[in-house]
Amino acid sequence: MGLSRISLENFRNHAATTLGDTAHFNLLVGENGAGKTNLLEALSLLGPGRGLRRANLAELPLKDTPGGAPLPFAIGASLTEAGTVSARIGTYTDAGQPGRRLVRVNGTNASAVSLAEWLAMSWLTPSMDSLFTDSAGTRRRFMDRMALAIAPDHARRVNQLEVALRERGKLLEHNGDPRWMDAIEAQAADHGASVARTRAELVLRLMDELSALPPEPFARPSLTYRPGGPLDEIALRAELARARPRDRAAGRALIGPQRDEMEVEMASTRQPAASCSTGEQKAMLIAITLAHGVLAAAGRPSVLLLDEVAAHLDPVRRTELFRRLREGRAQVWMTGTELAPFDAIRNEAAIWRVGAGRAERI
């Protein structure tokens, strides 16, 4: 289950690229700057959100000429299940409204959030190596992306929570009508409690999957969800009302899911992940990604994007990674500058040589 008949038009450095005859393992090989990660980014935009680079929409289109206007871009793919096409999904921009990302499913207009109902998407990129040392907000976004595997409407809930909190902040600043404040806080509590409960469930289910994985060669992490407020809707609404004076002084809400945290430790030593070595952090991140892949592959086509992962693993960890990926249901896309690290799966993979915005099957 995964993607086939993939097409890109005017995306990053790809003017017109197609990827057909896909497999369980799919390898994109080429020099640095050839456009391999651009292809992964395009695939990541077939899910909700801003993709694996979190880029602004204006950064994505191919430029018509140096310094010229960006062209509308389009990304499309077929979803396959047991070798049969189940749907055609795509995302694109239009020349008439270049600042808006549009989505179509089976030829019908749809929302970006709805893409999670059709396809489960996970990824691991070099920029994520700082996950454990970065801000709590980075880990919240990480949780929210993973949560789509168990609750496809989670992105919508997160967006609605953010809207409600912004409106509440404006009302606090301008001493707005208390009755309107009550209504806005009721919305924030409704969406906030849903977001918090989904995050809590995600961490519990990830821990179940992690406990089933062997502790070696990837260090097993221990995850703990630390809520920023009550998980119960009524209790959260009461806390928001009680915190109005403090939040007005602070200029922001100091309680609620926007303050959530996911704490990570190495299970064997109880050492915080932020204090572990770079190699240990990488191993724990891979373990979380593999555990999430199991959750994501339940019931929908699932895709796992791994950017420059194999080259940075020793032979033992690389062999184990391929073994676990082979046993999983998710379709896998990997990038590398050379084929040597992928020798163990070369005969079972679809391989493309990427260069100068082109992808040639080899």
Side-chain angles (χ1 to χ4, degrees):
M1 299 183 5
L3 300 173
S4 64
R5 293 172 50 202
I6 300 161
S7 62
L8 281 71
E9 294 181 8
N10 302 323
F11 182 82
R12 295 286 192 181
N13 67 332
H14 291 271
T17 295
T18 59
L19 304 171
D21 297 323
T22 58
H24 181 73
F25 285 116
N26 300 274
L27 308 181
L28 305 172
V29 182
E31 298 178 354
N32 292 328
K36 306 184 299 297
T37 304
N38 291 344
L39 287 172
L40 293 191
E41 181 181 27
L43 298 183
S44 74
L45 287 168
L46 294 175
R50 293 167 56 183
L52 58 80
R53 283 187 173 122
R54 290 185 55 78
N56 294 322
L57 198 60
E59 301 174 37
L60 303 179
L62 178 74
K63 300 298 187 295
D64 189 8
T65 57
L71 297 168
F73 73 82
I75 305 161
S78 295
L79 299 181
T80 61
E81 301 181 53
T84 301
V85 174
S86 59
R88 181 75 181 176
I89 61 176
T91 185
Y92 63 101
T93 55
D94 184 83
Q97 40 188 342
R100 183 183 178 194
R101 178 186 167 201
L102 304 172
V103 169
R104 290 179 74 82
V105 176
N106 292 330
T108 302
N109 293 336
S111 67
V113 170
S114 70
L115 290 171
E117 300 172 8
W118 293 89
L119 177 67
M121 185 76 66
S122 306
W123 60 75
L124 182 60
T125 69
S127 65
M128 293 167 60
D129 288 351
S130 61
L131 175 70
F132 305 129
T133 57
D134 214 327
S135 68
T138 298
R139 288 182 289 280
R140 282 193 294 274
R141 288 193 295 271
F142 183 65
M143 280 195 290
D144 289 338
R145 178 165 56 80
M146 291 192 294
L148 296 175
I150 63 172
D153 71 336
H154 182 72
R156 178 182 62 83
R157 287 287 199 169
V158 171
N159 290 339
Q160 290 172 325
L161 170 63
E162 292 174 351
V163 170
L165 289 177
R166 282 198 298 270
E167 184 63 26
R168 178 178 180 268
K170 293 177 183 177
L171 288 171
L172 286 174
E173 182 182 0
H174 299 292
N175 293 314
D177 187 336
R179 291 172 297 179
W180 184 238
M181 179 73 76
D182 289 341
I184 290 297
E185 288 178 344
Q187 293 179 23
D190 174 28
H191 301 308
S194 174
V195 167
R197 288 194 300 266
T198 300
R199 288 172 179 168
E201 180 186 356
L202 168 73
V203 171
L204 286 175
R205 293 178 64 173
L206 283 174
M207 284 300 297
D208 286 343
E209 296 297 337
L210 287 167
S211 65
L213 293 176
E216 296 295 340
F218 297 112
R220 180 185 292 163
S222 176
L223 313 180
T224 303
Y225 170 65
R226 302 293 186 193
L231 276 64
D232 176 75
E233 178 184 346
I234 296 176
L236 179 56
R237 182 176 179 180
E239 286 295 323
L240 287 171
R242 188 161 33 246
R244 289 176 190 176
R246 185 182 62 176
D247 290 352
R248 181 182 292 110
R252 64 187 187 280
L254 297 177
I255 191 167
Q258 75 283 357
R259 309 281 291 182
D260 284 357
E261 172 65 288
M262 182 181 73
E263 296 179 356
V264 184
E265 298 177 329
M266 182 180 288
S268 60
T269 64
R270 311 309 301 180
Q271 183 176 8
S275 302
C276 292
S277 70
T278 301
E280 290 169 334
Q281 291 178 358
K282 186 77 170 183
M284 286 189 283
L285 190 53
I286 291 175
I288 294 172
T289 301
L290 292 173
H292 179 254
V294 175
L295 297 180
R300 285 169 289 162
S302 177
V303 172
L304 177 58
L305 312 175
L306 301 175
D307 193 17
E308 298 289 352
V309 171
H312 300 289
L313 297 176
D314 59 57
V316 172
R317 286 193 171 107
R318 191 184 304 144
T319 299
E320 178 63 12
L321 173 65
F322 293 154
R323 184 189 71 78
R324 296 187 189 182
L325 294 175
R326 185 182 290 111
E327 293 177 352
R329 297 180 63 198
Q331 184 185 58
V332 183
W333 290 79
M334 292 184 281
T335 65
T337 55
E338 55 186 4
L339 274 173
F342 304 105
D343 282 344
I345 59 171
R346 185 169 182 172
N347 293 335
E348 54 190 298
I351 308 173
W352 288 267
R353 176 73 64 180
V354 182
R358 296 178 180 272
E360 180 181 355
R361 182 71 180 264
I362 60 176

